[in-house]
Amino acid sequence: MDLRPAKKMGFGMMRLPLLDESDQTSIDVEQVKKMVDLFMERGFTYFDTAWMYHDFASENVVKEALVDRYPRESFTLADKLHSAFFDTPEDMERIFNTQLEKTGAGYFDYYLMHGITADRWAKHERLGCLEWIAEKKAKGLVKHVGFSFHDKADVLDDILTGHPEMEFVQLQLNYLDWESPWIQSRLCYKVCVKHGKPVIVMEPVKGGTLAKLPADAEKLFRDFDPSVPPAAWALRFCADLPGVMAVLSGSSSLEQMDQNTSFMESFTGFTGDEAALCAKAAEIINEQTAIACTGCSYCTTGCPMQIAIPKYFSIYNEDMREKLDEKGWTATIISYRKLGETGGTPDQCIGCGQCESVCPQHLPIIELLQKLAAHFAIER
């Protein structure tokens, strides 16, 4: 069965434009409507949301910006269930029914067990989640069942071997993580190819990291083709891979949506050494990235101290890149102070571990926040 949409790019509803940067629920719905319109006008139809995105507000925006404004058969919608939010079959049922109500979609074209690791998969099996979602599919409430994955390739191989009924896999895949020993983008992709499972790509631009490159990495691409921006290179790297059915782009503005769709609208594949060029760029970027955070913000939902963890990590990475140029004191300290005016600061972390339990990158967040606090205390 061919699950693939007509065009490979998908609209990820995880990093939508905000009216208030300190409030993930303050989504600029009117701008999202324009983004949806442009996306649809250019022939793209795949939309992706999840229970916890934007502090549980993303699904509501899907209804207002998409479902209420377009015929149901004109688009496909993916939603997800994360094991951090259920402990009983009754919890699963309640969440699923609420998702249907919030989106108003009537059914989900794709439904995913979300953020799967070995431990989380075991929880799904123990609570009967696989049988439960199979019943939803039998009733027509779900068309296709799969999962998003954040573990090693051998774990993925075991899951797909034991559960061939899974129809697709969503992977963190980008040219920066392609050879990562932690993310294992290439190895996990190869497992999906082995089992004949279509791949949906998440984090193709790695939370914006591959949209704003170090100068020497950007020069590689500019010298090859100055008309293609860095983000488009990242999207195309993923779309070029056989078996990829959709590449999710989490656009945060109408301008980003315009750029991404314009460069993906007619893309049919690499023609030469473009993949090798991406590999060279990855080497440069990895040398200058201190914390491999993608900015997904899973860690901020439920943080008792309201620490904007991804933003602090971004500031730290920027500070480290500046120091590579031996500039001494950097202006990032101003950003660090400013961010502390709207929420908790790294030194206020109480070490509860909530953030680390949901981090798809398996980062030692508590330790890193301590490191940041010490770093900026010295720089201050």
Side-chain angles (χ1 to χ4, degrees), residues 183-241:
I183 306 301
Q184 297 189 348
S185 285
R186 178 179 62 82
L187 294 178
C188 288
Y189 166 74
K190 292 295 185 183
V191 169
C192 291
V193 171
K194 168 187 169 183
H195 288 273
K197 304 300 181 182
V199 171
I200 299 171
V201 174
M202 56 183 163
E203 301 292 355
V205 193
K206 201 170 172 67
T209 297
L210 302 183
K212 185 179 180 182
L213 304 179
D216 40 0
E218 184 170 353
K219 185 176 185 300
L220 284 177
F221 293 129
R222 295 295 184 193
D223 288 348
F224 188 91
D225 188 345
S227 70
V228 181
W233 279 99
L235 294 171
R236 289 178 170 189
F237 173 85
C238 300
D240 183 65
L241 295 168

Side-chain angles (χ1 to χ4, degrees), residues 208-281:
T209 297
L210 302 183
K212 185 179 180 182
L213 304 179
D216 40 0
E218 184 170 353
K219 185 176 185 300
L220 284 177
F221 293 129
R222 295 295 184 193
D223 288 348
F224 188 91
D225 188 345
S227 70
V228 181
W233 279 99
L235 294 171
R236 289 178 170 189
F237 173 85
C238 300
D240 183 65
L241 295 168
V244 167
M245 61 180 270
V247 180
L248 299 179
S249 174
S251 299
S252 299
S253 68
L254 182 60
E255 180 183 11
Q256 287 181 11
M257 179 61 73
D258 183 29
Q259 291 177 347
N260 291 342
T261 52
S262 66
F263 283 101
M264 289 298 292
E265 191 175 10
S266 58
F267 178 69
T268 56
F270 284 155
T271 59
D273 297 330
E274 293 97 325
L277 201 66
C278 291
K280 291 180 181 178

Side-chain angles (χ1 to χ4, degrees), residues 289-293 307 309 312-313 316-317 336 345-347 349 355-356 359 361-376:
T289 302
I291 301 175
C293 172
I307 302 171
I309 298 168
Y312 279 111
F313 286 173
Y316 181 74
N317 281 339
Y336 182 87
T345 55
D347 60 296
C349 171
C355 53
E356 294 186 358
C359 176
Q361 312 307 316
H362 311 293
L363 296 174
I365 296 175
I366 297 171
E367 177 185 333
L368 290 170
L369 288 176
Q370 294 172 346
K371 183 176 181 179
L372 261 73
H375 171 81
F376 283 103

Side-chain angles (χ1 to χ4, degrees), residues 24 60 99 145 157 212 224 344 367 369:
Q24 281 291 306
N60 300 90
Q99 288 176 310
V145 177
D157 193 28
K212 185 179 180 182
F224 188 91
E367 177 185 333
L369 288 176

